[in-house]
């Protein structure tokens, strides 16, 4: 027996020695070979995760379309998408390897994104209002109450008749600023107003509000010059009547919430419930922005997750508490169905803004995964949701909301994938168990806030130029209040308020709102709470986006190659700060002085000047009264104190006034059209109404030979959402 075992051991040793993969005397692989082997090992280990890059490629195709300066024809894009997609399907059918099918799949998604964005543009194209010289009378139905602007309350109108415009040239929707309290949805109104197309970007390369309005079919803006009057209009189509009825119910609920809780607290609660920001106080809004809590006011993924999750867990708990029912139905699937109903009901209640629509799609995909016995929280479910959103709304790829929400969600799912499972001990005394649960919750909350904040940081800096240094603290303090107190109570209160039973729940929600506002004001008032950071060049944000996605979607150590890419927005060199900015139309301007943007007309079109200043990393500020000579229509520096003189009058200055302007500054901006220039303007840069009509807003740099200019039209290009602006001014 012993002899036989020894023989077996010797045979096994010989077999093991003969089967050795690396002989003892074999040379060691070089560093390059080891790196190459490691890279190929990780590439092969990705498996089905390559599918996660399909929506990335689709979004890249849509982004390429929106980056074009000229509108492409539709047929080459559709043909390219059909050919590449057909090649990919043929390669799969032929059983080609992944080395062939994977690049074809990504290329097919990219061309489909290009074609889909173009088809979406053609589908939503609608008339855009011209810039009329004189006010017009218009009659319209009030569709909804919009968020207030700098000059008053705003409403969304469905125009029926506009004097001077044919029915074919009448915009489908208008955003109007009205005097006094906003009329309720469903009201037929008559306005005497100034009509303009949607506003272009505030400065070259800034966010394009006109493009956003184009895809919402908002064909212009109206500024009422008189009080709103009732009009006698024939009944509109049933679709408009249904929309107005829903919006009227939403606005009525918002008013009831405000009546219950007061204008300050109720205004915030109404915004979080129905999307109406009419009653939010400006100081509260500023505090929420500076503390990093502004995302709570905008109905998006957080709200959908809380409402849907609250409904899901409440129903599941109710089913589990009824043994007879729990033995006969799947409580998890019943709860998923109720969660779906809650999410889409909340979407209707909120007015279905674009961020809420995207969040509803994402939540629906995750609830559908539960119904199909698939993991609800997974990268695959998130990829499906992203693809659905991009197919329905390709323009979402260039919006801050989409970029930030999906980057944050992908980062949180990636964190869940690597988070170690929690080990639960048996027979632990309840005080120790409570401490362990509190520690676990705090750890998860801190990590989730850190990861989500890091993922959205590049987009917040690039789009909003704000870094809320205490945002993590504010969100950690607010998260339990919003998740377990404020949002559930708001949901129950809004549901029961039409029956007159929502008072107790709304009171609880109001206490949460007060606590949230107190946290927001406290953190916003801390020293250095907000840092202004200039935007990086436009091509840098896609680099950061790719880095974030690489860190989230890749499995393995190579994901850390995405870290320097994700931080590109922070370390990429900025272009030189412009010396002068002149707004669209020449109505206002600013110049740079010691890191401050000195605005020549403080209080006029403040949003545009503040947006430009923050984008360039400047503190907005007003010019000093000393050293300036200003009248009703112009403002000029005294003794060359500043590089710019501004004439904002609608009539052109005469020859003497023009000579005085040219003698006061090297750059002269005139809102009106100047026919001839006096001799004093020979060596001056003079921009007039013709230049602004062609180029929009402009940034100027003082160069040794003269001045260098970049116009909004140069960056924006000639697209369907930028009519009447072509080329640059001189």
């Amino acid at each position: 027996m012993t002899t036989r075992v020894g023989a077996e051991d010797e045979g096994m040793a010989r077999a093991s020695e003969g089967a050795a993969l690396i002989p003892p005397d074999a040379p060691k692989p070089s560093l390059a070979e080891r790196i190459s082997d490691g890279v190929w090992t990780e590439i092969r280990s990705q498996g089905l995760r390559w599918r996660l890059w399909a929506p990335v490629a689709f979004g890249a195709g849509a982004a390429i379309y929106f980056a074009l300066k000229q509108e492409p024809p539709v047929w080459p894009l559709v043909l390219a998408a059909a050919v590449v997609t057909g090649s990919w399907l043929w390669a799969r059918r032929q059983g080609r390897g992944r080395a062939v099918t994977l690049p074809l799949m990504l290329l097919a998604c990219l061309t489909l994104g290009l074609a889909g964005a173009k088809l979406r543009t053609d589908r939503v194209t609608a008339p855009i209002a011209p810039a009329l010289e004189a006010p017009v009378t218009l009659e319209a139905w009030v569709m909804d109450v919009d968020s207030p602007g700098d000059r008053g309350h705003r409403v969304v109108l469905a125009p029926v008749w506009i004097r001077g415009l044919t029915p074919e040239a009448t915009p489908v929707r208008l955003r109007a600023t009205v005097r006094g309290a906003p009329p309720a949805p469903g009201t037929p109104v008559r306005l005497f107003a100034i009509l303009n197309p949607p506003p272009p970007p505030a400065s070259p390369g800034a966010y394009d509000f006109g493009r956003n309005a184009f895809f919402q079919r908002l064909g212009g803006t109206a500024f009422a010059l008189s009080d709103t009057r009732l009009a006698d209009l024939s009944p509109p189509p049933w679709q408009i009547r249904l929309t107005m009825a829903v919006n009227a119910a939403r606005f009525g609920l918002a008013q009831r919430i405000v009546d219950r809780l007061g204008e300050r607290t109720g205004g915030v609660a109404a915004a979080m419930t129905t999307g109406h920001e009419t009653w939010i106080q400006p100081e509260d809004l500023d505090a929420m922005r500076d503390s990093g809590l502004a995302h709570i006011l905008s109905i998006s993924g957080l709200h959908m997750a809380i409402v849907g999750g609250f409904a899901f867990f409440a129903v599941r708990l109710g089913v589990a508490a009824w043994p007879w029912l729990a033995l006969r139905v799947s409580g998890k699937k019943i709860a998923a169905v109720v969660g779906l109903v809650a999410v889409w009901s909340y979407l209707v209640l909120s007015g279905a803004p674009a961020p809420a629509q995207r969040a509803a799609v994402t939540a629906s995909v995750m609830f559908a995964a539960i119904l199909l016995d698939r993991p609800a929280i997974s990268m695959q479910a998130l990829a499906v949701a992203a693809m659905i959103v991009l197919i329905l709304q390709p323009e979402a790829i260039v919006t801050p909301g989409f970029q930030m929400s999906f980057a944050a969600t992908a980062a949180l799912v990636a964190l869940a994938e690597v988070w170690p499972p929690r080990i639960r001990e048996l027979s632990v005394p309840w005080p120790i168990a409570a401490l362990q649960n509190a520690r676990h919750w705090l750890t998860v909350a801190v990590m989730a806030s850190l990861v989500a904040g890091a993922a959205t940081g590049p987009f917040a800096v690039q789009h909003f130029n704000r870094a809320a240094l205490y945002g993590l603290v504010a969100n950690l303090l607010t998260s339990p209040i919003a998740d377990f107190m404020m949002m559930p109570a708001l949901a129950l209160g809004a549901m029961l308020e039409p029956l007159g039973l929502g008072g107790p729940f709304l009171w609880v929600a109001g206490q949460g709102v007060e606590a949230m506002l107190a946290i927001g004001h406290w953190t916003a008032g801390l020293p250095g709470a907000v840092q202004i950071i200039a935007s990086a060049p436009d091509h840098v944000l896609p680099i950061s986006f790719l880095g974030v996605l690489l860190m989230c979607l890749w499995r393995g150590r190579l994901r850390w190659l995405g870290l320097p890419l994700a931080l590109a927005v922070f370390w990429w060199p900025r272009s030189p700060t412009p010396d002068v900015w002149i707004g669209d139309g020449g109505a206002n301007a600013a110049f740079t002085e010691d890191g401050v943007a000195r605005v020549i007309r403080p209080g006029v079109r403040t949003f545009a000047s503040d947006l430009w200043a923050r984008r360039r990393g400047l503190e907005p500020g007003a010019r000093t009264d000393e050293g300036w000579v200003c009248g009703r229509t112009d403002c000029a520096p005294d003794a060359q104190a500043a590089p710019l003189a501004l004439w904002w009058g609608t009539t052109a200055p005469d020859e003497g006034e023009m000579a005085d302007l040219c003698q006061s500054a090297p750059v002269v901006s005139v809102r009106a059209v100047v026919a001839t220039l006096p001799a004093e303007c020979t060596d001056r840069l003079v921009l007039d109404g013709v230049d602004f009509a062609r180029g929009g807003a402009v940034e100027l740099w003082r160069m040794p030979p003269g001045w260098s200019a970049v116009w909004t039209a140069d960056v924006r290009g000639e697209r369907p959402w930028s009519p009447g602006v072509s080329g640059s001014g001189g």
Side-chain angles (χ1 to χ4, degrees), residues 58 116 120 123-124 215 344 357 361 385-396:
F58 191 97
R120 166 74 171 166
R123 188 166 63 251
V124 303
F215 285 97
W344 287 94
Q357 294 177 27
V361 170
M387 183 64 85
I388 292 174
V389 169
L390 289 173
I391 291 174
L392 297 176
Q393 299 176 345
E395 69 275 9

Side-chain angles (χ1 to χ4, degrees), residues 92 99 101 121 141 166 218 250 257 309 334 395 402 467 473 562 658 684:
R92 288 194 61 186
T101 58
T121 299
W141 290 94
T166 63
L218 285 167
R250 291 175 48 239
I257 292 175
I334 295 295
E395 69 275 9
F402 175 87
V473 175
M658 195 68 209
R684 302 304 197 209

Side-chain angles (χ1 to χ4, degrees), residues 230-616:
L230 294 178
D232 185 14
L233 302 177
S234 57
W238 70 268
Q239 299 95 329
I240 293 181
R241 293 201 303 272
L242 177 61
T243 303
M244 290 191 300
V246 172
N247 290 338
R250 291 175 48 239
F251 190 66
L253 176 61
Q255 289 180 314
R256 295 184 63 147
I257 292 175
V258 172
D259 292 340
R260 287 268 193 186
L261 302 178
E263 187 166 311
R264 182 174 184 263
T265 304
V268 175
M272 297 172 61
T273 307
T274 66
H276 289 107
E277 300 180 357
T278 305
W279 298 276
I280 296 182
Q281 306 297 318
E283 57 273 15
D284 290 336
L285 185 59
D286 291 340
M288 296 292 282
R289 287 172 178 167
D290 294 344
S291 61
L293 296 175
H295 64 96
I296 298 179
L297 300 179
S298 175
I299 297 176
S300 55
L302 173 66
H303 303 72
M304 290 294 175
I306 293 175
V307 171
F310 175 76
F312 176 83
F313 288 110
V315 171
R316 194 173 183 187
L317 180 62
V319 172
W322 188 0
W324 180 89
L325 184 62
L327 294 174
R328 289 165 174 80
V329 300
S330 171
K332 189 175 182 180
K333 293 188 176 182
I334 295 295
V337 172
V338 175
L340 275 172
V341 173
V343 163
W344 287 94
S345 300
Y346 186 41
L347 179 66
V348 174
L349 179 64
S350 67
Q357 294 177 27
R358 296 191 289 268
V361 170
T362 304
S364 299
V365 169
M366 294 187 175
F367 283 129
I370 294 176
L371 296 175
L372 297 174
D373 297 319
R374 299 296 181 92
I377 302 177
S378 66
M379 281 296 182
Q380 285 76 16
L382 182 62
V384 171
M387 183 64 85
I388 292 174
V389 169
L390 289 173
I391 291 174
L392 297 176
Q393 299 176 345
E395 69 275 9
I397 192 64
V398 292
T399 60
F402 175 87
Q403 297 167 1
M404 297 179 72
S405 63
F406 275 92
T409 307
L412 292 175
V413 174
L415 177 65
E417 288 181 337
V418 300
W419 193 264
R422 185 183 179 190
I423 300 175
R424 296 183 178 273
E425 301 177 0
L426 299 176
S427 302
V428 178
W430 71 264
I432 298 178
L435 289 175
Q436 290 177 341
N437 291 332
R439 183 188 61 185
H440 176 74
W441 178 88
L442 182 61
T443 303
V444 171
V446 170
M447 288 301 300
S449 296
L450 280 173
V451 168
T456 57
F459 308 98
V461 167
Q462 184 72 4
H463 292 297
F464 306 115
N465 308 109
R466 289 174 178 265
L469 299 186
Y470 305 109
L472 175 62
V473 175
N475 279 278
L476 284 177
L477 294 175
T478 306
S479 180
I481 298 173
D483 296 353
F484 303 112
M485 175 181 175
M486 189 165 54
M487 288 303 301
L490 274 179
L492 292 173
M495 182 174 60
L496 297 176
E497 182 60 23
L499 303 176
L501 303 176
F505 299 101
L506 291 178
W507 180 86
V508 173
Q511 301 306 304
V513 170
E514 290 287 351
M516 180 184 68
L517 290 176
I519 293 171
H521 280 277
W522 173 69
T523 52
L526 294 175
V530 180
Q531 294 293 323
I532 297 178
I533 304 176
S535 296
D538 293 339
H539 64 273
V540 177
L541 186 61
I543 297 175
S544 286
F545 206 167
L546 179 62
V548 171
L549 293 174
L550 183 62
M551 294 186 67
C552 295
L553 304 186
W554 193 267
R555 176 180 291 165
R557 288 179 295 180
L558 287 180
R559 68 171 45 178
W560 295 108
L561 294 177
L563 181 59
L565 300 179
L567 298 176
V569 163
F570 297 95
W571 58 259
W572 202 280
R574 269 46 174 177
S575 57
T577 304
D579 295 293
V580 172
W581 165 81
I582 306 174
D584 175 56
N588 202 356
F591 60 94
T592 304
E593 183 181 64
D594 298 329
V596 178
R598 298 294 182 188
V599 182
I600 294 182
R601 298 182 69 194
V604 176
R605 300 192 180 184
T606 306
F607 179 79
S609 59
D610 287 353
L611 187 65
W612 171 77
R614 291 199 309 270
R615 188 169 183 273
R616 289 301 182 178

Side-chain angles (χ1 to χ4, degrees), residues 100 346 387 421 597 655 679 710 725:
V100 175
Y346 186 41
M387 183 64 85
E655 186 173 353
V710 175
V725 181

